[in-house]
Amino acid sequence: MLSLESAELTAVDARLLAQTYAAAHCPRVDRAAVALVVAELLANAERHTAGSWRLVVSHSTRLLSIAVHDLGRLLPLPGKVAFDGTGQFGLRIIRGLSDHFSVHSGPTGKTVTAQWHLATL
């Protein structure tokens, strides 16, 4: 398991470490997809919440899981796609590149998780 805090490093460094972890432990997973999903999860955490984030990358024999916890309480919702630079592509990208996407809200914020089923790769 890899656990990283925003106070320790930048989102760019976290993305590279998550990509390296996936390559080492789940070599059949598309590393570029992992990097893009991590980038989108962290960008959303930084853009839509105040405070810190925690990235946890873990795996089992059947699953690669990438979770980002932040202090925000609002659940992410896909917005209307805009081609003017304001985005709204992040959740669509995450859902399109991963096999499973979930959001869990609690008293300390929310956790957004993307997962890949390793048996199908």
Side-chain angles (χ1 to χ4, degrees):
M1 180 176 77
L2 175 67
S3 181
L4 305 167
E5 303 276 341
S6 59
E8 300 170 344
L9 70 170
T10 68
V12 171
D13 293 332
R15 183 189 76 222
L16 293 173
L17 289 169
Q19 187 178 21
T20 301
Y21 178 97
H25 298 285
C26 308
R28 293 184 297 171
V29 172
D30 183 344
R31 290 182 303 175
V34 168
L36 185 52
V37 167
V38 170
E40 289 297 329
L41 289 171
L42 295 179
N44 286 342
E46 290 179 343
R47 183 177 298 124
H48 300 294
T49 65
S52 61
W53 50 258
R54 181 178 64 251
L55 169 69
V56 176
V57 183
S58 59
H59 76 287
S60 67
T61 57
R62 299 184 310 173
L63 195 68
L64 171 66
S65 179
I66 296 177
V68 173
H69 178 80
D70 62 49
L71 302 176
R73 299 259 175 131
L74 295 176
L75 301 181
L77 298 170
K80 182 178 179 188
V81 173
F83 296 101
D84 62 359
T86 59
Q88 300 299 325
F89 291 102
L91 289 179
R92 288 173 177 82
I93 291 169
I94 294 164
R95 286 181 170 157
L97 292 177
S98 62
D99 294 323
H100 181 73
F101 169 82
S102 64
V103 180
H104 299 282
S105 184
T108 63
K110 69 179 174 301
T111 302
V112 182
T113 304
Q115 297 176 319
W116 287 263
H117 299 285
L118 301 177
T120 61
L121 299 176

